[in-house]
Amino acid sequence: MNVSSPIGIFDSGVGGLSILREIRRAFASEDLLYVADSAFVPYGDKSPQFVEARSLAITKFLVDQKAKAIVVACNTATGAAIATLRAGFSMPIVGIEPAVKPAVGKTASGVVAVLATSGTLSSDKFANLLARFGGDAEILIQPCPGLVEQVETGNLHGEKARALTAKYVLPLLERGADTIILGCTHYSFLALLIREIAGPGVSIVDPNAAIAHELRRRLEDNDLLSPVPRSGTERFWTSGAPDDVKPVISQLWNADVEVRRLPKRYCRPDIPFESPR
Ligand code: DGL
């Protein structure tokens, strides 16, 4: 791999496209590879070992495609796997975690809510994040079962999306939250709906742009930024059925894109599925 190699990005499904969008905005010349692990979405209710095994398999695929850097565009996979990925691969690996620090800096009421998956909220990484940056704020933790699956359907504004989102957001407002952290990349696609439900007095904190900054820093430090001004390309893969996934990726990416099937050898989970419950 070299400066003109692509950047690999993955998520359990389409949520990471919200990060891909920021990366494309920040890096016009880079070629981008995106993997949606749709056969195994959602990650949020799987065991950390399972999510780690999937993250390893997809990272291997992206490395086999000569990726010069990896972006784990998923809070749940970052919590479960980033240390293992960094130990196993030498290229820059950038992850994402709930933006507790900026949210605590922003709140006036002293009550901050975190919307995330059960996997993220029960991870050691999240416990450390709260211990380091929670300060004196009251942090309300809200897992959102079903919300990832809703985004995966591409229906972001209908009655079902609204009712489910309101079910999670309204109790947080009643408890005084004035700042809501989007701690799952899928929820970025519901930001408008959350804003409508929460009203103008509530700040919504989404760390996606910060990931592009961090990626730039890591590429610069490693002399890996593409120096040639050109139009970068995007390529998409899914471990699910491309015919089902293509319409949703095309909708969220705002273009009719080709979605390929991830080769079978990267689709088998290395360990059998284990439910944490
Ligand atoms: N979009 C992912 C995240 O940021 C994963 C959601 C899921 O698959 O449960 O956590």
Side-chain angles (χ1 to χ4, degrees):
M1 55 123 168
N2 54 45
V3 286
S4 53
S5 299
I7 298 167
I9 297 132
F10 75 91
D11 177 41
S12 60
V14 298
L17 294 169
S18 57
I19 305 274
L20 191 72
R21 193 167 56 189
E22 295 297 337
I23 293 176
R24 172 50 74 224
R25 248 183 226 143
F27 301 92
S29 304
E30 301 286 352
D31 290 333
L32 307 177
L33 314 177
Y34 185 88
V35 177
D37 198 14
S38 324
F40 301 104
V41 69
Y43 279 175
D45 62 3
K46 311 283 193 302
S47 71
Q49 293 77 6
F50 182 91
V51 175
E52 184 184 62
R54 289 307 305 145
S55 302
L56 274 166
I58 295 170
T59 301
K60 275 184 206 147
F61 168 74
L62 291 168
V63 169
D64 291 347
Q65 305 301 306
K66 310 271 179 285
K68 63 183 175 184
I70 302 291
V71 178
V72 184
C74 174
N75 293 259
T76 314
T78 299
I82 199 139
T84 309
L85 296 180
R86 286 187 175 140
F89 298 94
S90 57
M91 72 268 305
I93 298 184
V94 175
I96 180 165
E97 56 190 12
V100 173
K101 192 178 175 194
V104 166
K106 233 180 189 131
T107 179
S109 71
V111 185
V112 169
V114 188
L115 301 179
T117 68
S118 307
T120 294
L121 296 172
S122 59
S123 67
D124 293 344
K125 213 167 187 318
F126 183 67
N128 290 338
L129 199 61
L130 286 191
R132 281 172 64 208
F133 301 119
D136 293 332
E138 183 185 351
I139 312 277
L140 308 178
I141 282 166
Q142 181 62 65
C144 306
L147 219 48
V148 164
E149 292 91 322
Q150 184 63 37
V151 173
E152 288 290 317
T153 68
N155 182 341
L156 309 177
H157 306 286
E159 261 325 294
K160 206 167 158 214
R162 180 175 293 274
L164 198 56
T165 307
K167 179 174 112 179
Y168 295 129
V169 169
L170 291 176
L172 303 169
L173 306 178
E174 276 159 28
R175 292 176 65 190
D178 68 349
T179 308
I180 297 179
I181 300 173
L182 303 186
C184 168
T185 52
H186 279 77
Y187 307 164
S188 296
F189 288 111
L190 297 168
L192 281 179
L193 191 55
I194 294 172
R195 150 102 16 263
E196 258 178 66
I197 291 167
V202 171
S203 308
I204 295 173
V205 180
D206 185 330
N208 292 0
I211 304 310
H213 264 96
E214 173 65 5
L215 178 61
R216 178 170 300 282
R217 195 179 66 75
R218 301 293 303 280
L219 289 175
E220 275 170 2
D221 284 357
N222 289 277
D223 289 327
L224 283 172
L225 262 184
S226 169
V228 190
R230 57 187 278 273
S231 277
T233 60
E234 300 93 29
R235 277 183 290 158
F236 299 88
W237 286 264
T238 176
S239 56
D243 287 351
D244 295 345
V245 177
K246 175 191 156 81
V248 184
I249 292 190
S250 296
Q251 175 199 333
L252 299 180
W253 192 247
N254 271 323
D256 185 27
V257 299
E258 187 191 340
V259 178
R260 298 158 214 226
R261 192 184 292 276
L262 192 67
K264 264 215 176 75
R265 64 182 175 283
Y266 303 100
C267 291
R268 278 192 322 262
D270 294 332
I271 55 164
F273 171 72
E274 272 168 41
S275 169
R277 275 172 275 161

